[in-house]
Amino acid sequence: MWDRLAKAGIPYTRPQGTPPKTPRAKRRFLDPLGRYAGVTIAGARVLSLAGGGGWHPILFADLGAAVTLLDISAVQCRTVRALAKERGAIVRVVRGDMRDLSRFAPASFDLVDHQHSLVFVPDAGRVIREVGRVLALGGTYLFQTMHPVTLRLYGTWTGTGWLPRTTYFDDRAVPTYDATWEFGALKVEAPTIEYGHRIGTLVNACAAAGLVVDGLWEYSPGDGSGGPPGSDDELERWLPAFVEIRARKR
């Protein structure tokens, strides 16, 4: 399904915006909310986990890191290879499943940067265990995923409020309400399967993997102005769209 979206050019699957030229500005572009404050990027071994199609692996390389990208989508792997070649960046590109990092030795990376993709796997703990194994002592893991409450409310407007599609305690995939990914005139049918992992599940998985959570944020993108009554934009005005967690290996 993700290859289908990538081939169609859905914005989530391709680089957005134009990075600036100076190292300081590139870092701000890469990390606008300052989640990597105090983390040294130059010389770090970075795993861009499921980061195909975006600027992150390229910018980490631009800032002096030794970067490996792992992504399940062949289309997005090609996107990053082409982008790296065009910019003269060195990025090792590996196609694979984030649930199996066995090709990497223990303590192979100083930083694991994980973009929004845990929502697509049924067992987030399995991924986090793998990250804990490949992360070196003192290393940093930063990941984002869909907020488990808000995900259950998208598309459920009743006219007076939102009604969850499933209980917060249900670990099964959240029932799909609309398989069409729509951006302007672009529409793609891709019924992806998405899981609303509870925040407690994510934090406890970090602890079980030997990681100490030292940052947790709940937020929505945009300016907070909302949208039409009952729309997803309006829902995200009242509830966070994403949860983001930073953990360290002590």
Side-chain angles (χ1 to χ4, degrees), residues 27-173:
R27 178 148 183 160
R28 283 198 303 269
F29 188 92
L30 174 72
D31 182 26
L33 299 176
R35 309 303 196 213
Y36 285 127
V39 175
T40 299
I41 293 177
R45 299 166 297 169
V46 174
L47 174 61
S48 180
L49 191 56
W55 282 114
H56 278 225
I58 304 298
L59 290 177
F60 276 117
D62 282 353
L63 292 171
V67 182
T68 299
L69 164 74
L70 184 134
D71 200 284
I72 200 169
S73 166
V75 176
Q76 292 197 263
C77 285
R78 289 197 297 271
T79 296
V80 171
R81 283 195 186 97
L83 197 59
K85 183 178 180 180
E86 175 186 322
R87 292 174 61 92
I90 299 175
V91 178
R92 177 190 178 197
V93 178
V94 180
R95 186 183 179 197
D97 190 322
M98 74 178 95
R99 296 172 293 181
D100 179 11
L101 304 182
S102 59
R103 70 188 70 208
F104 305 124
S108 293
F109 301 102
D110 305 302
L111 190 157
V112 177
D113 181 75
H114 191 180
Q115 297 304 298
H116 302 272
S117 59
L118 272 177
V119 70
F120 297 116
V121 296
D123 184 2
R126 179 176 171 182
V127 178
I128 294 171
R129 283 194 302 273
E130 288 287 280
V131 171
R133 186 185 64 82
V134 302
L135 195 63
L137 286 176
T140 300
Y141 176 38
L142 182 70
F143 66 93
Q144 310 90 16
T145 191
M146 302 297 293
H147 196 283
V149 173
T150 314
L151 178 62
R152 288 167 166 81
L153 293 173
Y154 287 128
T156 67
W157 179 251
T158 65
T160 58
W162 288 273
L163 182 67
R165 283 181 277 151
T166 182
T167 74
Y168 186 69
F169 305 102
D170 190 342
D171 288 327
R172 294 173 298 176

